Amino acid sequence: MGTPRITDELVAEVAAELRDRYGFDSDDLRALGAALAGRDTDRRASENRAFAARFVAEHPDTFDRLSR
């Protein structure tokens, strides 16, 4: 048995259930979605910061010129 596809209809159904059952509003739903989606965010954020630091270190003249 496969997992169900995540469709717009399924998202709307789950959102309605959370609103009805727990009194969630749109901000609550966004926060919950962000928390669930963000399980991998910390790793990606640290990778992005490392890339940015490396990029700035490799191109200091460009960033010095842009800061003027």
Side-chain angles (χ1 to χ4, degrees):
M1 174 183 276
T3 58
R5 290 201 59 213
I6 299 175
T7 62
D8 290 342
E9 293 80 17
L10 179 60
V11 170
E13 185 180 319
V14 170
E17 177 84 15
L18 291 170
R19 281 187 171 100
D20 292 344
R21 186 179 293 188
Y22 301 107
F24 282 12
D25 62 12
S26 294
D27 289 337
D28 296 327
L29 292 171
R30 279 192 287 279
L32 177 60
L36 292 172
R39 290 180 180 170
D40 205 26
T41 300
D42 291 337
R43 181 184 58 82
R44 283 181 287 177
S46 64
E47 289 173 357
N48 289 343
R49 283 190 297 276
F51 170 80
R54 189 173 60 250
F55 191 83
V56 170
E58 291 172 3
H59 304 281
D61 295 337
T62 300
F63 288 95
D64 289 344
R65 192 173 59 252
L66 290 171
S67 69
R68 285 185 233 142

Coordinates of all heavy atoms in Angstrom, one line a residue:
M1 N 0.9 -1.2 0.0 CA 0.0 0.0 0.0 C 0.9 1.2 0.0 O 1.8 1.4 0.8 CB -0.9 0.0 1.2 CG -1.7 1.3 1.4 SD -2.7 1.3 2.9 CE -4.1 0.4 2.3
G2 N 0.7 2.1 -1.0 CA 1.5 3.4 -1.1 C 0.9 4.5 -0.2 O -0.2 4.4 0.3
T3 N 1.7 5.5 0.0 CA 1.2 6.6 0.7 C 0.4 7.5 -0.2 O 0.6 7.5 -1.4 CB 2.4 7.5 1.2 OG1 3.2 7.9 0.1 CG2 3.2 6.7 2.2
P4 N -0.6 8.2 0.3 CA -1.4 9.1 -0.5 C -0.6 10.2 -1.0 O 0.3 10.7 -0.4 CB -2.6 9.5 0.4 CG -2.0 9.4 1.8 CD -1.0 8.3 1.7
R5 N -1.0 10.7 -2.2 CA -0.4 11.9 -2.8 C -0.9 13.1 -2.0 O -2.0 13.2 -1.5 CB -0.8 12.1 -4.2 CG -0.2 11.0 -5.1 CD -0.2 11.5 -6.6 NE 0.6 12.7 -6.6 CZ 0.3 13.7 -7.4 NH1 -0.6 13.7 -8.3 NH2 1.0 14.8 -7.4
I6 N 0.0 14.1 -1.8 CA -0.4 15.3 -1.1 C -0.9 16.3 -2.2 O -0.1 16.9 -2.9 CB 0.8 15.9 -0.4 CG1 1.3 14.9 0.7 CG2 0.5 17.2 0.3 CD1 2.6 15.3 1.4
T7 N -2.2 16.4 -2.2 CA -2.9 17.3 -3.2 C -3.4 18.5 -2.4 O -3.4 18.5 -1.2 CB -4.0 16.5 -3.8 OG1 -5.0 16.2 -2.8 CG2 -3.6 15.2 -4.5
D8 N -3.8 19.5 -3.2 CA -4.4 20.7 -2.6 C -5.6 20.3 -1.8 O -5.9 20.9 -0.8 CB -4.7 21.7 -3.7 CG -3.5 22.3 -4.3 OD1 -2.4 22.3 -3.7 OD2 -3.6 22.9 -5.4
E9 N -6.4 19.4 -2.3 CA -7.6 19.0 -1.6 C -7.2 18.3 -0.2 O -7.9 18.6 0.7 CB -8.4 18.0 -2.5 CG -9.0 18.6 -3.7 CD -8.0 18.7 -4.9 OE1 -6.9 18.0 -4.8 OE2 -8.3 19.5 -5.8
L10 N -6.2 17.5 -0.2 CA -5.8 16.9 1.0 C -5.3 17.9 2.0 O -5.7 17.9 3.2 CB -4.7 15.8 0.8 CG -4.2 15.1 2.0 CD1 -5.3 14.4 2.8 CD2 -3.0 14.2 1.7
V11 N -4.5 18.9 1.6 CA -4.1 20.0 2.4 C -5.2 20.7 3.0 O -5.3 21.0 4.2 CB -3.1 20.9 1.7 CG1 -2.8 22.1 2.5 CG2 -1.8 20.1 1.3
A12 N -6.2 21.1 2.2 CA -7.4 21.8 2.6 C -8.2 21.0 3.6 O -8.7 21.5 4.6 CB -8.3 22.2 1.4
E13 N -8.3 19.7 3.4 CA -9.0 18.8 4.3 C -8.3 18.8 5.7 O -9.0 18.9 6.7 CB -9.1 17.4 3.7 CG -9.9 16.4 4.5 CD -9.9 15.1 3.8 OE1 -10.1 15.0 2.6 OE2 -9.8 14.1 4.6
V14 N -7.0 18.6 5.7 CA -6.3 18.6 6.9 C -6.3 19.9 7.7 O -6.5 20.0 8.9 CB -4.8 18.1 6.7 CG1 -3.9 18.3 7.9 CG2 -4.7 16.7 6.2
A15 N -6.2 21.0 6.9 CA -6.3 22.3 7.5 C -7.7 22.5 8.1 O -7.8 23.1 9.3 CB -6.0 23.4 6.5
A16 N -8.7 22.1 7.5 CA -10.1 22.3 8.0 C -10.2 21.4 9.3 O -10.8 21.9 10.3 CB -11.1 21.8 7.0
E17 N -9.7 20.2 9.3 CA -9.7 19.4 10.5 C -9.0 20.0 11.6 O -9.5 20.0 12.8 CB -9.1 18.0 10.1 CG -9.0 17.0 11.3 CD -10.3 16.3 11.5 OE1 -11.1 16.2 10.6 OE2 -10.4 15.7 12.6
L18 N -7.8 20.6 11.4 CA -7.1 21.2 12.5 C -7.8 22.5 13.0 O -7.8 22.8 14.2 CB -5.7 21.6 12.0 CG -4.7 20.4 11.7 CD1 -3.5 20.9 11.0 CD2 -4.4 19.7 13.0
R19 N -8.4 23.2 12.1 CA -9.2 24.4 12.5 C -10.4 23.9 13.4 O -10.6 24.5 14.4 CB -9.7 25.1 11.3 CG -8.7 26.0 10.6 CD -9.4 26.9 9.5 NE -8.5 27.8 9.0 CZ -7.8 27.7 7.9 NH1 -7.9 26.6 7.1 NH2 -6.9 28.7 7.5
D20 N -11.1 22.9 12.9 CA -12.3 22.5 13.7 C -11.9 21.8 15.0 O -12.5 22.1 16.0 CB -13.1 21.4 12.8 CG -13.7 22.0 11.6 OD1 -13.8 23.3 11.6 OD2 -14.1 21.3 10.7
R21 N -10.9 20.9 15.0 CA -10.6 20.2 16.2 C -9.8 21.0 17.2 O -10.1 20.9 18.4 CB -9.8 19.0 15.8 CG -9.5 18.0 17.0 CD -8.7 16.8 16.6 NE -9.5 16.0 15.7 CZ -9.2 14.7 15.3 NH1 -8.0 14.3 15.7 NH2 -9.9 14.0 14.5
Y22 N -8.9 21.8 16.8 CA -8.0 22.5 17.7 C -8.2 24.0 17.7 O -7.5 24.7 18.4 CB -6.5 22.2 17.4 CG -6.3 20.7 17.5 CD1 -6.0 19.9 16.4 CD2 -6.3 20.1 18.7 CE1 -5.8 18.6 16.4 CE2 -6.0 18.7 18.8 CZ -5.8 18.0 17.7 OH -5.5 16.6 17.8
G23 N -9.0 24.5 16.9 CA -9.3 26.0 16.8 C -8.1 26.7 16.2 O -7.9 27.9 16.5
F24 N -7.3 26.1 15.3 CA -6.2 26.7 14.7 C -6.7 27.8 13.8 O -7.7 27.7 13.1 CB -5.4 25.7 13.9 CG -4.4 24.9 14.7 CD1 -4.5 24.8 16.1 CD2 -3.5 24.1 14.1 CE1 -3.7 24.0 16.8 CE2 -2.6 23.3 14.8 CZ -2.7 23.2 16.2
D25 N -5.9 28.9 13.7 CA -6.2 29.9 12.7 C -5.1 29.8 11.6 O -4.2 28.9 11.7 CB -6.2 31.3 13.3 CG -4.9 31.8 13.9 OD1 -3.9 31.1 13.8 OD2 -5.0 32.8 14.6
S26 N -5.1 30.7 10.6 CA -4.1 30.6 9.6 C -2.7 30.7 10.0 O -1.8 30.0 9.5 CB -4.4 31.7 8.5 OG -5.6 31.4 7.9
D27 N -2.4 31.6 11.0 CA -1.1 31.7 11.6 C -0.6 30.4 12.2 O 0.5 30.0 12.1 CB -1.0 32.9 12.6 CG -1.1 34.2 11.9 OD1 -0.8 34.3 10.7 OD2 -1.4 35.2 12.6
D28 N -1.5 29.8 13.0 CA -1.2 28.5 13.6 C -0.8 27.5 12.6 O 0.1 26.7 12.8 CB -2.4 28.0 14.5 CG -2.7 28.9 15.6 OD1 -1.8 29.6 16.2 OD2 -3.9 29.0 16.0
L29 N -1.6 27.4 11.5 CA -1.4 26.4 10.5 C 0.0 26.7 9.8 O 0.7 25.7 9.5 CB -2.5 26.4 9.4 CG -3.9 25.9 10.0 CD1 -4.9 26.2 8.9 CD2 -3.8 24.5 10.3
R30 N 0.3 27.9 9.5 CA 1.6 28.3 8.9 C 2.7 27.9 9.8 O 3.7 27.3 9.4 CB 1.6 29.7 8.5 CG 1.0 30.1 7.2 CD 1.3 31.5 6.8 NE 0.6 32.5 7.6 CZ -0.6 32.9 7.4 NH1 -1.4 32.3 6.4 NH2 -1.1 33.8 8.2
A31 N 2.6 28.2 11.1 CA 3.6 27.8 12.1 C 3.8 26.3 12.2 O 5.0 25.8 12.2 CB 3.3 28.4 13.5
L32 N 2.7 25.6 12.2 CA 2.8 24.1 12.2 C 3.5 23.6 10.9 O 4.4 22.8 11.0 CB 1.4 23.5 12.4 CG 1.4 22.0 12.3 CD1 2.2 21.4 13.5 CD2 -0.1 21.5 12.4
G33 N 3.0 24.1 9.8 CA 3.6 23.7 8.5 C 5.1 24.0 8.5 O 5.9 23.2 8.0
A34 N 5.5 25.2 8.9 CA 6.9 25.5 8.9 C 7.7 24.6 9.9 O 8.8 24.2 9.5 CB 7.1 27.0 9.4
A35 N 7.1 24.3 11.0 CA 7.8 23.4 11.9 C 8.0 22.0 11.3 O 9.1 21.4 11.4 CB 7.1 23.3 13.3
L36 N 7.0 21.5 10.7 CA 7.1 20.2 10.1 C 8.1 20.2 8.9 O 8.9 19.3 8.7 CB 5.7 19.7 9.6 CG 4.7 19.4 10.8 CD1 3.4 19.1 10.2 CD2 5.3 18.2 11.6
A37 N 8.0 21.3 8.1 CA 8.9 21.4 6.9 C 10.3 21.7 7.3 O 11.2 21.3 6.6 CB 8.3 22.4 6.0
G38 N 10.4 22.3 8.5 CA 11.7 22.8 8.9 C 12.6 21.8 9.6 O 13.7 22.1 10.1
R39 N 12.1 20.5 9.6 CA 12.9 19.5 10.2 C 14.3 19.4 9.6 O 15.3 19.1 10.2 CB 12.3 18.1 10.0 CG 11.0 18.0 10.9 CD 10.4 16.7 10.7 NE 9.2 16.6 11.5 CZ 8.3 15.6 11.5 NH1 8.5 14.7 10.6 NH2 7.3 15.6 12.2
D40 N 14.4 19.8 8.3 CA 15.7 19.7 7.6 C 16.3 21.2 7.4 O 17.3 21.3 6.8 CB 15.5 19.1 6.2 CG 16.7 18.5 5.7 OD1 17.6 18.1 6.5 OD2 16.8 18.4 4.4
T41 N 15.5 22.1 7.9 CA 15.9 23.5 7.7 C 17.3 23.9 8.3 O 18.1 24.6 7.8 CB 14.8 24.5 8.2 OG1 13.6 24.2 7.5 CG2 15.2 25.9 8.0
D42 N 17.5 23.4 9.5 CA 18.7 23.7 10.3 C 20.0 23.3 9.5 O 20.9 24.1 9.4 CB 18.8 23.1 11.6 CG 17.7 23.7 12.6 OD1 17.3 24.8 12.3 OD2 17.3 23.0 13.5
R43 N 19.9 22.1 8.9 CA 21.0 21.6 8.1 C 21.2 22.5 6.9 O 22.3 23.0 6.6 CB 20.8 20.2 7.7 CG 22.0 19.6 6.8 CD 21.7 18.2 6.3 NE 20.5 18.1 5.5 CZ 20.5 18.4 4.3 NH1 21.5 18.9 3.6 NH2 19.3 18.3 3.6
R44 N 20.1 22.8 6.2 CA 20.2 23.7 5.0 C 20.7 25.1 5.3 O 21.5 25.7 4.6 CB 18.9 23.7 4.2 CG 18.6 22.4 3.5 CD 17.4 22.5 2.7 NE 16.3 22.4 3.7 CZ 15.0 22.4 3.5 NH1 14.6 22.7 2.3 NH2 14.1 22.3 4.5
A45 N 20.2 25.6 6.4 CA 20.6 27.0 6.8 C 22.1 27.0 7.1 O 22.8 27.9 6.7 CB 19.8 27.4 8.0
S46 N 22.6 26.0 7.8 CA 24.0 26.0 8.1 C 24.9 25.8 6.8 O 25.9 26.4 6.7 CB 24.4 24.9 9.1 OG 24.1 23.6 8.6
E47 N 24.4 25.0 5.9 CA 25.0 24.9 4.6 C 25.0 26.2 3.8 O 26.0 26.6 3.2 CB 24.4 23.8 3.7 CG 24.6 22.4 4.2 CD 23.8 21.4 3.5 OE1 23.0 21.8 2.6 OE2 23.9 20.2 3.7
N48 N 23.9 26.9 3.9 CA 23.8 28.2 3.2 C 24.8 29.2 3.8 O 25.4 30.0 3.1 CB 22.4 28.8 3.2 CG 21.5 28.0 2.3 OD1 21.9 27.3 1.5 ND2 20.2 28.1 2.6
R49 N 24.8 29.3 5.2 CA 25.8 30.2 5.8 C 27.2 29.9 5.5 O 28.0 30.8 5.3 CB 25.5 30.2 7.3 CG 24.3 31.0 7.8 CD 24.2 31.1 9.3 NE 24.1 29.8 10.0 CZ 23.0 29.2 10.2 NH1 21.8 29.7 9.8 NH2 22.9 28.1 10.9
A50 N 27.5 28.6 5.5 CA 28.9 28.2 5.1 C 29.2 28.6 3.7 O 30.3 29.1 3.4 CB 29.1 26.7 5.3
F51 N 28.3 28.4 2.8 CA 28.5 28.8 1.4 C 28.7 30.3 1.3 O 29.7 30.8 0.7 CB 27.3 28.4 0.5 CG 27.4 29.0 -0.9 CD1 28.2 28.5 -1.8 CD2 26.7 30.2 -1.2 CE1 28.3 29.1 -3.1 CE2 26.8 30.8 -2.4 CZ 27.6 30.2 -3.4
A52 N 27.9 31.1 2.0 CA 28.0 32.6 2.0 C 29.3 33.0 2.6 O 30.0 33.9 2.0 CB 26.8 33.2 2.8
A53 N 29.8 32.4 3.7 CA 31.0 32.8 4.3 C 32.2 32.5 3.3 O 33.1 33.3 3.1 CB 31.2 32.0 5.6
R54 N 32.1 31.3 2.7 CA 33.2 30.9 1.7 C 33.2 31.8 0.5 O 34.2 32.3 0.1 CB 32.9 29.5 1.3 CG 34.1 28.9 0.5 CD 33.9 27.4 0.2 NE 32.7 27.1 -0.5 CZ 31.6 26.5 0.0 NH1 31.6 26.1 1.2 NH2 30.5 26.3 -0.8
F55 N 32.0 32.2 0.0 CA 31.9 33.1 -1.1 C 32.4 34.5 -0.8 O 33.2 35.0 -1.6 CB 30.4 33.2 -1.6 CG 30.2 33.8 -2.9 CD1 30.4 33.1 -4.1 CD2 29.9 35.2 -3.0 CE1 30.2 33.8 -5.3 CE2 29.7 35.8 -4.2 CZ 29.9 35.1 -5.4
V56 N 32.1 35.0 0.3 CA 32.6 36.3 0.8 C 34.1 36.3 0.9 O 34.8 37.2 0.5 CB 31.9 36.8 2.1 CG1 32.6 38.0 2.6 CG2 30.4 37.1 1.8
A57 N 34.6 35.2 1.5 CA 36.1 35.1 1.7 C 36.8 35.0 0.4 O 37.9 35.5 0.2 CB 36.4 33.8 2.6
E58 N 36.2 34.4 -0.6 CA 36.8 34.2 -1.9 C 36.7 35.5 -2.8 O 37.5 35.6 -3.8 CB 36.2 33.0 -2.7 CG 36.5 31.7 -2.1 CD 35.7 30.5 -2.7 OE1 35.0 30.8 -3.7 OE2 35.9 29.4 -2.2
H59 N 35.8 36.4 -2.5 CA 35.6 37.6 -3.3 C 35.5 38.8 -2.4 O 34.6 39.6 -2.6 CB 34.3 37.4 -4.1 CG 34.2 36.2 -4.9 ND1 34.9 36.1 -6.2 CD2 33.7 35.0 -4.7 CE1 34.7 34.9 -6.7 NE2 33.9 34.2 -5.8
P60 N 36.5 39.1 -1.6 CA 36.5 40.2 -0.7 C 36.5 41.6 -1.4 O 35.8 42.5 -1.0 CB 37.7 40.1 0.2 CG 38.7 39.3 -0.6 CD 37.8 38.3 -1.5
D61 N 37.2 41.7 -2.6 CA 37.2 42.9 -3.3 C 35.9 43.3 -3.8 O 35.5 44.5 -3.7 CB 38.2 42.8 -4.5 CG 39.6 42.6 -4.0 OD1 39.9 43.0 -2.9 OD2 40.4 42.1 -4.8
T62 N 35.1 42.4 -4.3 CA 33.8 42.7 -4.8 C 32.9 43.2 -3.6 O 32.2 44.2 -3.8 CB 33.1 41.4 -5.3 OG1 33.9 40.9 -6.4 CG2 31.7 41.7 -5.8
F63 N 32.9 42.6 -2.5 CA 32.1 43.0 -1.4 C 32.6 44.3 -0.8 O 31.8 45.2 -0.4 CB 32.0 41.9 -0.3 CG 31.1 40.8 -0.8 CD1 31.7 39.7 -1.4 CD2 29.8 40.9 -0.7 CE1 30.9 38.7 -1.8 CE2 29.0 39.9 -1.2 CZ 29.5 38.7 -1.7
D64 N 33.9 44.6 -0.8 CA 34.4 45.9 -0.4 C 33.9 47.0 -1.3 O 33.5 48.0 -0.8 CB 35.9 45.9 -0.3 CG 36.5 45.0 0.8 OD1 35.8 44.7 1.7 OD2 37.7 44.7 0.7
R65 N 34.0 46.7 -2.6 CA 33.5 47.7 -3.6 C 32.0 48.0 -3.4 O 31.6 49.1 -3.5 CB 33.8 47.2 -5.0 CG 33.7 48.2 -6.0 CD 34.2 47.8 -7.4 NE 33.5 46.6 -7.9 CZ 34.1 45.4 -8.0 NH1 35.3 45.2 -7.6 NH2 33.4 44.4 -8.5
L66 N 31.2 46.9 -3.2 CA 29.8 47.1 -3.0 C 29.4 47.8 -1.7 O 28.4 48.5 -1.7 CB 29.1 45.7 -3.0 CG 29.1 45.0 -4.4 CD1 28.6 43.6 -4.2 CD2 28.2 45.8 -5.4
S67 N 30.2 47.7 -0.7 CA 29.9 48.4 0.6 C 30.2 49.9 0.5 O 29.8 50.6 1.4 CB 30.7 47.7 1.7 OG 32.1 48.0 1.5
R68 N 30.9 50.3 -0.5 CA 31.2 51.8 -0.6 C 30.1 52.5 -1.2 O 29.2 52.3 -1.7 CB 32.5 52.0 -1.4 CG 33.7 51.6 -0.7 CD 34.9 52.0 -1.5 NE 35.7 50.7 -1.5 CZ 36.4 50.3 -2.5 NH1 36.5 51.0 -3.6 NH2 37.1 49.2 -2.5

